[in-house]
């Protein structure tokens, strides 16, 4: 009997976790490991109606073993988009205007209250990530980690 | 260890803070919305023989942290925009986990917003308690919530209860999940038998308003209750001879009253 599966084209999807892991490597290289980013799966929380995959993206310091700062949390379903993101509020206030003007962002659809946004596709996710990771807020946190690390070295 | 917490409402307030520290000799002073000059405060204290240190906080501008313990005794732990966790290492076997909070205002955020923040804080604290095998944990600050609000009482929030007896059961199991509890002694501060009925006064024109709120609170792990000196828990209304309340019993100087307590 012939295959009944049809012509299957399997598109390899880059998950948000994979994208974030890639960015984490860049930070580690740029700071010689003093500061690094970690993707932490949040297993202790209740199952969320927002999606079953839930991660925190943290900035940490090589010489500050217990320090972490959560830049944002992402929650999504198996089919990935849309992604729910809860962003550090000060960071969100800094990038909000630029985010609204990203291609494809519809201010009526993408915003929840406070520092919560919905990301509809990969392009918007990358655009938002660029705004977050190049923000003054993130720069200040990394500088702070360096400054305190110096006290321990 | 003596603690002071005060939301200073961005006021020029060093004079009051200095006098409180001189009078009560606090070991840890945590301030929210502190916009006065910290270096000047430390210099003024030094002049009267009190050496304190400002402990660095990286990502939470809403909180300032001062200790008598040297910065080398402080471990920097997780932070968010709304909280900072520090560990004070007194010696090898004696350490305190301190969560300092200033949660989002009721004007701009819901109880659920505060619960989400508390859940993150509690998860981070629990990880530290496991790692360092201690329950010498306190969380103190302006929660922008009353002790009875959901974010304070829910299992997925702070899970903080009013009764020592209940807290000493240590955990609650709900739907097969186990949640560690906190003891919240602030419940004892409602009502006016002890003088003042809260730390924050608010009057809005709605049909339901309790006027005096206890937004500024300390909660402790039940394993730590034996070290908490009940009689030391005090909402401060006077600094030396200066009243922090007007004649009409409204809060002045800041819009919150300070809170003090002592752990053995």
């Amino acid at each position: 009997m012939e295959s009944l599966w049809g012509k299957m084209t399997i598109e390899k999807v880059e998950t948000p976790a994979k994208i974030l892991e890639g960015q984490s490597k860049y930070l580690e290289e740029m700071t010689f490991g003093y500061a690094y980013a970690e993707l932490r799966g949040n297993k202790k929380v209740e199952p969320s109606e927002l999606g079953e995959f839930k991660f925190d993206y943290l900035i940490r310091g090589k010489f500050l073993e217990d320090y972490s700062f959560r830049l944002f949390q992402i929650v999504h379903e198996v089919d990935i988009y849309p992604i729910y993101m809860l962003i550090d509020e000060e960071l969100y206030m800094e990038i909000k205007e630029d985010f609204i003007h990203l291609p494809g962002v519809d201010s009526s659809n993408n915003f929840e209250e406070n520092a919560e946004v919905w990301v509809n596709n990969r392009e918007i996710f990358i655009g938002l990530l660029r705004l977050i990771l190049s923000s003054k807020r993130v720069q200040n946190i990394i500088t702070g980690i360096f400054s305190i690390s110096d006290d321990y070295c | 260890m003596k603690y002071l917490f005060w939301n200073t409402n961005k006021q020029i307030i060093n004079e009051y803070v200095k006098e409180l520290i001189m009078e009560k000799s606090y070991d840890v002073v945590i301030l929210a919305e502190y916009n006065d000059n910290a270096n000047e405060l430390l210099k003024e204290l030094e002049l009267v023989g009190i050496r304190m240190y400002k402990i660095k906080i990286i990502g939470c501008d809403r909180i300032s942290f001062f200790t008598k313990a040297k910065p080398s005794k402080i471990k920097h732990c997780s932070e968010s925009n709304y909280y900072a966790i520090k560990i004070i290492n007194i010696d090898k076997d004696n350490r305190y986990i301190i969560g300092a909070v200033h949660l989002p205002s009721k004007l701009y955020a819901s109880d659920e917003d505060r619960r989400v923040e508390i859940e993150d804080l509690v998860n981070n604290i629990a990880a530290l308690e496991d790692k360092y095998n201690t329950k010498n944990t306190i969380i103190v600050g302006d929660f922008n919530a009353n002790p009875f609000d959901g974010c304070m009482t829910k299992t997925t929030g702070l899970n903080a209860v009013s009764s020592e007896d209940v807290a000493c059961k240590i955990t609650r199991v709900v739907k097969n999940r186990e949640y560690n509890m906190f003891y919240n002694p602030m419940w004892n501060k409602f009502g006016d038998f002890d003088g003042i009925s809260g730390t924050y006064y608010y009057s809005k024109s709605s049909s339901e308003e309790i006027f005096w709120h206890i937004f500024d609170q300390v909660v402790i792990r039940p394993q730590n209750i034996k070290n908490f000196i009940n009689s030391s828990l005090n909402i401060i209304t006077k600094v030396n001879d200066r009243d922090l309340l007007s004649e009409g019993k409204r809060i002045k100087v800041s819009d919150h009253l300070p809170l003090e307590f002592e752990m053995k």
Side-chain angles (χ1 to χ4, degrees):
Chain A
M1 189 181 181
E2 80 277 23
S3 167
L4 304 177
W5 291 99
K7 278 192 176 174
M8 205 179 285
T9 48
I10 298 173
E11 196 182 335
K12 202 174 175 190
V13 180
E14 196 178 19
T15 62
K18 204 79 188 159
I19 294 169
L20 290 169
E21 279 166 9
Q23 293 305 313
S24 303
K25 282 181 191 153
Y26 286 121
L27 177 64
E28 210 164 338
E29 281 168 22
M30 285 162 68
T31 63
F32 308 104
Y34 266 70
Y36 62 97
E38 183 181 292
L39 193 65
R40 183 177 68 184
N42 215 331
K43 289 172 189 158
K44 282 196 167 180
V45 295
E46 295 282 340
S48 168
E49 61 187 32
L50 297 167
E52 57 183 300
F53 296 93
K54 192 169 186 173
F55 304 98
D56 292 333
Y57 197 60
L58 310 169
I59 301 284
R60 311 198 62 169
K62 182 180 176 183
F63 295 106
L64 300 173
E65 58 173 315
D66 293 313
Y67 182 81
S68 67
F69 187 92
R70 190 181 72 181
L71 291 183
F72 54 83
Q73 181 176 80
I74 60 174
V75 188
H76 64 83
E77 292 285 8
V78 180
D79 48 4
I80 302 182
Y81 296 100
I83 300 171
Y84 165 86
M85 287 180 73
L86 174 65
I87 304 169
D88 167 65
E89 198 170 314
E90 197 175 318
L91 170 55
Y92 176 70
M93 295 312 289
E94 183 187 333
I95 64 168
K96 186 179 174 183
E97 281 305 309
D98 291 330
F99 176 57
I100 290 169
H101 294 106
L102 284 179
V105 172
D106 176 351
S107 60
S108 61
N109 293 332
N110 289 81
F111 295 91
E112 291 285 322
E113 289 177 1
N114 298 321
E116 301 164 76
V117 297
W118 285 95
V119 176
N120 293 334
N121 57 50
R122 185 181 185 276
E123 192 187 359
I124 296 175
F125 181 62
I126 298 290
L128 177 56
L129 206 53
R130 188 188 304 280
L131 292 175
I132 289 173
L133 301 183
S134 60
S135 68
K136 204 172 155 192
R137 173 73 162 156
V138 169
Q139 180 73 50
N140 287 342
I141 288 162
I142 292 168
T143 305
I145 288 172
F146 267 72
S147 150
I148 294 185
S149 299
D150 283 345
D151 296 346
Y152 288 82
C153 297
Chain B
M1 291 243 289
K2 288 184 176 178
Y3 293 79
L4 171 74
F5 173 78
W6 196 1
N7 180 329
T8 59
N9 192 31
K10 300 175 182 167
Q11 299 299 306
I12 301 300
I13 209 143
N14 275 355
E15 192 68 22
Y16 288 89
V17 176
K18 182 185 120 187
E19 284 185 28
L20 277 169
I21 295 171
M22 283 170 61
E23 190 188 340
K24 306 287 181 69
S25 194
Y26 300 112
D27 299 285
V28 178
V29 174
I30 298 166
L31 304 175
E33 292 191 40
Y34 175 73
N35 273 16
D36 210 344
N37 189 322
N39 289 334
E40 273 180 21
L41 174 65
L42 296 177
K43 273 184 202 162
E44 294 272 327
L45 287 169
E46 188 98 36
L47 288 174
V48 294
I50 299 171
R51 175 165 289 183
M52 291 193 88
Y53 303 90
K54 187 169 193 286
I55 303 304
K56 286 179 184 169
I57 292 179
I58 296 171
C60 181
D61 300 335
R62 297 159 68 89
I63 295 166
S64 300
F65 205 103
F66 301 88
T67 63
K68 278 191 180 158
K70 290 179 180 169
S72 59
K73 298 274 187 190
I74 309 291
K75 231 173 190 320
H76 303 276
C77 306
S78 305
E79 289 179 1
S80 82
N81 203 22
Y82 298 106
Y83 69 78
I85 306 172
K86 306 287 176 192
I87 297 178
I88 301 184
N89 291 304
I90 303 299
D91 53 52
K92 193 164 65 76
D93 302 315
N94 210 356
R95 52 171 68 95
Y96 298 87
I97 300 172
I98 301 172
V101 305
H102 181 203
L103 296 183
S105 161
K106 285 203 169 203
L107 294 174
Y108 309 109
S110 65
D111 187 69
E112 176 62 10
D113 292 329
R114 283 181 287 279
R115 190 202 63 77
V116 167
E117 202 62 38
I118 287 174
E119 185 179 47
D120 187 50
L121 164 72
V122 169
N123 284 340
N124 283 319
I125 279 184
L128 291 168
E129 288 173 334
D130 287 347
K131 179 175 177 182
Y132 293 106
N133 192 26
T134 180
K135 295 285 185 186
N136 275 342
T137 305
I138 68 160
I139 304 177
V140 62
D142 176 1
F143 289 81
N144 267 307
N146 277 299
F148 51 77
D149 282 330
C151 64
M152 302 297 292
T153 58
K154 284 178 183 170
T155 49
T156 55
L158 204 53
N159 202 15
V161 298
S162 62
S163 151
E164 278 189 31
D165 282 351
V166 175
C168 285
K169 290 176 181 161
I170 309 294
T171 61
R172 276 186 75 201
V173 177
V174 179
K175 292 180 183 165
N176 296 322
R177 284 172 187 256
E178 193 173 30
Y179 300 90
N180 285 307
M181 287 195 276
F182 280 97
Y183 169 59
N184 187 347
M186 298 308 299
W187 282 88
N188 294 290
K189 294 296 172 185
F190 281 114
D192 59 3
F193 281 12
D194 288 338
I196 199 73
S197 306
T199 62
Y200 182 80
Y201 184 89
Y202 183 65
S203 168
K204 67 170 186 261
S205 57
S206 68
S207 59
E208 188 183 358
E209 181 52 73
I210 62 169
F211 299 100
W212 278 101
H213 299 264
I214 301 186
F215 288 169
D216 307 280
Q217 304 179 54
V218 53
V219 301
I220 56 177
R221 282 295 191 203
Q223 293 89 338
N224 213 5
I225 287 176
K226 59 183 184 303
N227 296 320
F228 187 78
I229 301 172
N230 291 348
S231 60
S232 71
L233 180 63
N234 184 27
I235 297 169
I236 298 168
T237 57
K238 266 189 176 186
V239 178
N240 283 333
D241 288 333
R242 287 191 281 185
D243 264 314
L244 300 178
L245 295 170
S246 67
E247 281 186 14
K249 287 215 166 181
R250 297 292 169 267
I251 300 172
K252 57 182 191 179
V253 183
S254 170
D255 57 350
H256 288 245
L257 290 170
L259 181 71
E260 64 178 358
F261 59 94
E262 184 174 355
M263 308 288 297
K264 278 182 221 161

